[in-house]
Amino acid sequence: MIDFLKEAAHVKPSQKQLDWFELGMYAFVHYGPNTYTDREWGMGTESPEIFNPTNLDCDQWVEAIKEAGMKGMVLTAKHHDGFCLWPSKYTEHSVKNSPFQGDMVKEAAEACRRGGIKFGFYLSPWDRNSKYYGTPEYNDYFCNQLTELLTGYGEIFYVWFDNACGEGPNGRKQEYDFERYFALIRKYQPNAVIFNDFGPDVRWCGNEAGAARYSEWAVVPSELCRYGEVQTGPGPLAGEGSLSYLYNTDREIGTMANILYSKGLVFTPSEIDMSIRPGWFWHENEEPHSLERLYQTYLTSVGANACFHLNVPPTKEGRIDERDVARLKEFGALIQKEFGEEIPSTAEKVPGEPLTQPVYRVHFDRPLRDLKYVVLREEIAQGQRVESFRITAESASGGQYPLYQGTCIGNRQICRLQDPFALQNPLIDDSDETLTGLTVQVTAARDEVLLKEIKVY
């Protein structure tokens, strides 16, 4: 078992995945016929003539996205209705037969480059308009459209697929050839990260509400992410009848109880996705979610070994709703307020402790009363290893205050000690007491712990 845990500790990300982690947060943009029909899922029979953005401003999209601190945009180039936001030569169900008479994908891609953020796209495998859907020919059709997007719009940082699947003609189900789709992406956009429910690069968190697991591991069983690269042999209990069913909605995925029974492990981290409002497409009577909800999701995604994919839908006119613009601006301002200025401190590893249970002393340059966050990062390029840890504060009088207990760390773990939305935030009860430092102790790990940084705010 010890040998297998060491193998698990050395399952490593690709450079693409490391770059994706550094983005932290990026935007989804759902736009199309549903914007005009007030629906979430179109039927595929909508007339292209309804798509008519009369005041399109993709630069305004990018500016709003940047205000929140997001570093990329993913556009719904085609949703389930099959309507293409670019003039695809493989279908008439596209912008070329709309009053718009332009190329929405091009407009968005160029705005991203002008604004200095990355551009990606979502291409729905489910197509309720195509006559080929439900037949073997559909995969050819899909690959043709995918190639148009991969080769016509410059560098793509992200290609996003879901697994939505409906019935084709005469009730036939479509078998998606994802391996073929992935090969095209690797050929034309080798640096692009691929999202799919089951990998290869990033997986679905299991919901669309921004809800995260308490422990979000990036190293997970290959039974869950069958498209990922297997980097270990089977676990010591593989074949003992444990992983007959494993899905993204499960609460326990990368924990010891699962990996020991796995046939192999992959490095496939999770994306936390939600919309800024109840729907994914713009609906006039909807309001954006509260600042508190967005911020909480930020902490449990970017701050919990995942990334945050926040949807921001344009209006019928082609602009981000001013209500959403205002919410994005205050969201970005809150993140900057909470994490813009690090508390000066020095961290040192205590010698003589076990490699899998190291202790770190953090000394503040001055005594503190107001301490909100401790941010921990593993050297994720070498693998994810920490199973559990705890943080204790040390006072000027020699007392100790238990502050936080956590499980995995991974790329980044934001340990919130105080709630910025609470009316009062006393960290310690004694009004005369101050804090001089912290102790961070790893209580369990799969191999030698390699912490990248410890920061306090």
Side-chain angles (χ1 to χ4, degrees), residues 29-331:
V29 175
H30 276 63
Y31 196 34
N34 292 342
T35 308
Y36 299 87
T37 60
D38 205 30
R39 300 176 66 103
E40 285 289 296
W41 281 11
M43 300 301 295
T45 56
E46 296 83 2
S47 170
E49 293 183 1
I50 67 173
F51 186 78
N52 187 24
T54 55
N55 190 23
L56 179 68
D57 190 347
C58 292
D59 291 307
Q60 187 251 3
W61 303 2
V62 172
E63 186 61 32
I65 288 167
K66 290 172 63 177
E67 285 281 355
M70 292 186 279
K71 299 176 181 178
M73 175 205 295
V74 178
L75 177 68
T76 56
K78 184 186 78 168
H79 204 256
H80 306 329
D81 51 40
F83 183 81
C84 297
L85 295 186
W86 79 102
S88 174
K89 66 181 180 181
Y90 298 101
T91 182
E92 295 302 305
H93 199 54
S94 80
V95 289
K96 65 187 176 186
N97 289 315
S98 75
F100 174 59
Q101 288 292 302
D103 187 334
M104 183 65 65
V105 177
K106 181 179 180 181
E107 295 273 0
E110 291 182 349
C112 285
R113 294 188 179 96
R114 285 193 296 270
I117 67 173
K118 297 182 179 295
F119 177 72
F121 62 83
Y122 160 57
L123 187 66
S124 170
W126 187 19
D127 190 319
R128 305 183 79 173
N129 176 268
S130 175
K131 65 182 179 182
Y132 302 113
Y133 191 82
T135 72
E137 289 76 21
Y138 179 73
N139 281 312
D140 296 331
Y141 173 78
F142 188 87
C143 285
N144 286 335
Q145 291 194 326
L146 179 59
T147 300
E148 287 182 317
L149 293 171
L150 293 171
T151 59
Y153 300 95
E155 184 176 357
I156 304 298
F157 92 98
Y158 207 36
V159 180
W160 203 97
F161 297 128
D162 56 20
N163 285 64
C165 185
E167 292 187 353
N170 302 315
R172 291 175 292 191
K173 288 294 182 83
Q174 181 64 48
E175 294 292 331
Y176 301 136
D177 192 350
F178 279 114
E179 298 280 8
R180 184 178 169 192
Y181 308 163
F182 300 159
L184 281 176
I185 298 168
R186 300 300 193 218
K187 176 181 178 181
Y188 293 115
Q189 296 285 344
N191 295 321
V193 172
I194 303 172
F195 173 94
N196 180 271
D197 285 7
F198 310 109
D201 299 324
V202 179
R203 61 182 166 82
W204 184 42
C205 69
N207 65 82
E208 296 180 344
R213 293 176 182 83
Y214 183 64
S215 297
E216 191 64 81
W217 283 87
V219 178
V220 296
S222 58
E223 288 86 348
L224 174 71
C225 293
R226 56 179 177 267
Y227 299 123
E229 178 188 354
V230 178
Q231 298 186 42
T232 70
L237 301 179
E240 297 294 327
S242 65
L243 291 183
S244 58
Y245 178 85
L246 186 65
Y247 192 58
N248 282 304
T249 53
D250 290 358
R251 301 307 298 170
E252 299 285 332
I253 287 181
T255 56
M256 193 83 70
N258 277 325
I259 68 170
L260 292 177
Y261 293 88
S262 175
K263 295 178 181 178
L265 302 178
V266 301
F267 194 100
T268 310
S270 176
E271 174 191 276
I272 309 296
D273 59 328
M274 65 177 284
S275 183
I276 195 171
R277 27 176 74 217
W280 287 86
F281 288 88
W282 182 80
H283 306 288
E284 185 174 6
N285 294 327
E286 290 184 350
E287 295 288 337
H289 293 308
S290 69
L291 176 61
E292 185 172 2
R293 179 170 178 183
L294 293 183
Y295 185 65
Q296 174 62 24
T297 306
Y298 174 84
L299 294 180
T300 57
S301 56
V302 179
N305 198 39
C307 283
F308 188 12
H309 200 181
L310 178 63
N311 180 64
V312 186
T315 66
K316 293 178 181 179
E317 290 71 28
R319 295 173 58 86
I320 303 300
D321 191 306
E322 290 303 321
R323 294 170 291 181
D324 299 347
V325 171
R327 180 68 80 241
L328 291 171
K329 186 173 183 177
E330 61 180 356
F331 179 40

Side-chain angles (χ1 to χ4, degrees), residues 359-416:
V359 176
Y360 302 84
R361 304 281 190 212
V362 181
H363 303 282
F364 305 141
D365 288 7
R366 65 183 189 279
L368 300 173
R369 286 193 51 80
D370 190 20
L371 182 62
K372 292 184 177 180
Y373 308 92
V374 178
V375 180
L376 307 176
R377 300 190 70 183
E378 285 187 74
E379 189 60 72
I380 200 73
Q382 301 304 316
Q384 185 180 355
R385 303 180 179 187
V386 175
E387 292 262 0
S388 60
F389 66 94
R390 60 171 169 251
I391 302 173
T392 304
E394 300 171 352
S395 70
S397 64
Q400 292 190 333
Y401 294 85
L403 295 183
Y404 194 92
Q405 285 188 298
T407 54
C408 60
I409 294 174
N411 180 65
R412 181 182 285 104
Q413 186 67 228
I414 298 177
C415 308
R416 184 174 68 178

Side-chain angles (χ1 to χ4, degrees), residues 1-8 234-237 256 259-261 446:
M1 182 178 294
I2 293 177
D3 290 341
F4 176 72
L5 289 182
K6 286 184 177 292
E7 288 184 10
L237 301 179
M256 193 83 70
I259 68 170
L260 292 177
Y261 293 88
R446 295 174 179 179

